[in-house]
Amino acid sequence: MATYNKRGYKPAKEKEGKEVTEDIKVIEKNSATAGVFSTLDETASKTEDFVARNQKIIIGIVGAIALLTVGYLAYQKFVAAPKEEDAATQMFVAQQNFQKATDGVASDSLYKLSLNGSEGKWGFVKIADEYSGTDAGNLANYYAGIAFLNARKYTEAIDYLSKFKSEDIVLSAMAKGAIGDAYSQNNQPKEALENYVKAAESNKNDFTTPRFLLKAGKTALALGNKVDALKYFTDIKDNFDASPEAATIDVLIGLAQ
């Protein structure tokens, strides 16, 4: 008996094969997704277990941070701020004596009063000690250093000026230069030169820079270091020719050459 294919007939195997392949891909995809969720579940479970096991420690750490924050704010409000105010009140009389001494009125005795206190108020020495860590206490170090320098007590001047720290670029340079002056008066020219250079280089400006370049140049010249002296004098001539220090700079350059 003869056999034949019906028109339009397609074997079923090819379709069945594709469907099987697609089913496998779907299964694999679902399996991979399930694996990801399983991993996430395991991770979350481990995290929950860690938190549960260490709950007291975590709460303690959070509490400690909160306590430190509250403590810091309370310290600033109830301790630091009143302490700054007290220091400023104490220092008012000392500053008055210092200013009068600077103006040339009974300088020696007034500098001593500014250092040691008068009228029931403390002087810069005790203020710097009792209010260390405050802005007023820090400023008292500067005042005390300058007062000691003018009272010709150079070791004490260096000690207090070295403690002074300031973000004010001019005042910071002045303090370093004053340390140089104290070393110079104490017959320590090398240390003086080092501090004059620091003062000149700490901030370039038309006021302090030529002032301490001139002192550095003269000190270097006295030490026989003409090369460095010429460098400092030339810096004044080239960059600060309008400053008072530049008035006789050509003469000094001639001495250094």
Side-chain angles (χ1 to χ4, degrees):
M1 183 176 179
T3 60
Y4 60 93
N5 291 329
K6 292 183 180 179
R7 184 176 296 175
Y9 173 79
K10 292 182 180 179
K13 291 183 179 180
E14 182 179 353
K15 182 177 180 182
E16 291 174 357
K18 288 182 179 179
E19 290 177 351
V20 170
T21 302
E22 290 175 358
D23 290 343
I24 291 173
K25 289 180 179 179
V26 171
I27 292 170
E28 289 177 346
K29 183 177 179 181
N30 290 340
S31 177
T33 303
V36 170
F37 281 112
S38 177
T39 302
L40 290 174
D41 288 341
E42 289 177 5
T43 302
S45 179
K46 290 179 180 178
T47 302
E48 290 171 359
D49 290 343
F50 174 81
V51 172
R53 288 196 308 270
N54 299 279
Q55 189 172 14
K56 290 183 178 180
I57 296 174
I58 294 171
I59 291 174
I61 292 172
V62 173
I65 293 172
L67 186 63
L68 285 172
T69 303
V70 172
Y72 173 77
L73 294 174
Y75 174 82
Q76 290 297 316
K77 182 176 181 179
F78 298 110
V79 179
K83 198 173 183 181
E84 288 282 4
E85 188 175 346
D86 289 344
T89 302
Q90 287 283 353
M91 197 158 61
F92 179 71
V93 174
Q95 286 175 314
Q96 282 189 321
N97 288 325
F98 181 91
Q99 188 59 52
K100 289 177 183 177
T102 304
D103 293 340
V105 181
S107 296
D108 288 347
S109 60
L110 284 170
Y111 276 128
K112 290 178 181 178
L113 288 177
S114 74
L115 286 166
N116 301 320
S118 63
E119 300 177 29
K121 299 296 182 182
W122 294 345
F124 294 129
V125 171
K126 192 164 185 177
I127 293 170
D129 181 48
E130 294 291 330
Y131 293 99
S132 61
T134 68
D135 291 338
N138 181 48
L139 187 58
N141 282 316
Y142 177 81
Y143 275 118
I146 300 298
F148 274 124
L149 178 62
N150 283 281
R152 295 174 293 282
K153 293 186 177 182
Y154 306 119
T155 301
E156 291 87 344
I158 293 166
D159 180 41
Y160 279 93
L161 287 167
S162 297
K163 294 175 184 177
F164 174 69
K165 308 295 178 186
S166 177
E167 293 182 1
D168 185 294
I169 51 180
V170 173
L171 200 56
S172 178
M174 291 294 291
K176 291 182 178 68
I179 293 173
D181 289 340
Y183 275 121
S184 180
Q185 292 296 323
N186 207 35
N187 197 29
Q188 295 176 266
K190 290 182 180 179
E191 290 80 0
L193 176 58
E194 180 182 345
N195 281 277
Y196 287 145
V197 173
K198 285 181 180 179
E201 294 179 347
S202 63
N203 171 66
K204 297 290 184 179
N205 64 77
D206 293 334
F207 174 58
T208 61
T209 304
R211 176 177 182 172
F212 295 118
L213 280 173
L214 183 64
K215 291 190 176 188
K218 288 181 176 180
T219 305
L221 196 61
L223 287 168
N225 189 346
K226 290 189 175 183
V227 174
D228 283 346
L230 181 61
K231 179 177 68 174
Y232 302 136
F233 294 146
T234 303
D235 194 351
I236 295 173
K237 182 177 177 63
D238 292 345
N239 300 303
F240 304 97
D241 60 323
S243 67
E245 289 78 11
T248 58
I249 204 65
D250 288 332
V251 175
L252 293 170
I253 288 174
L255 292 173
Q257 287 177 334

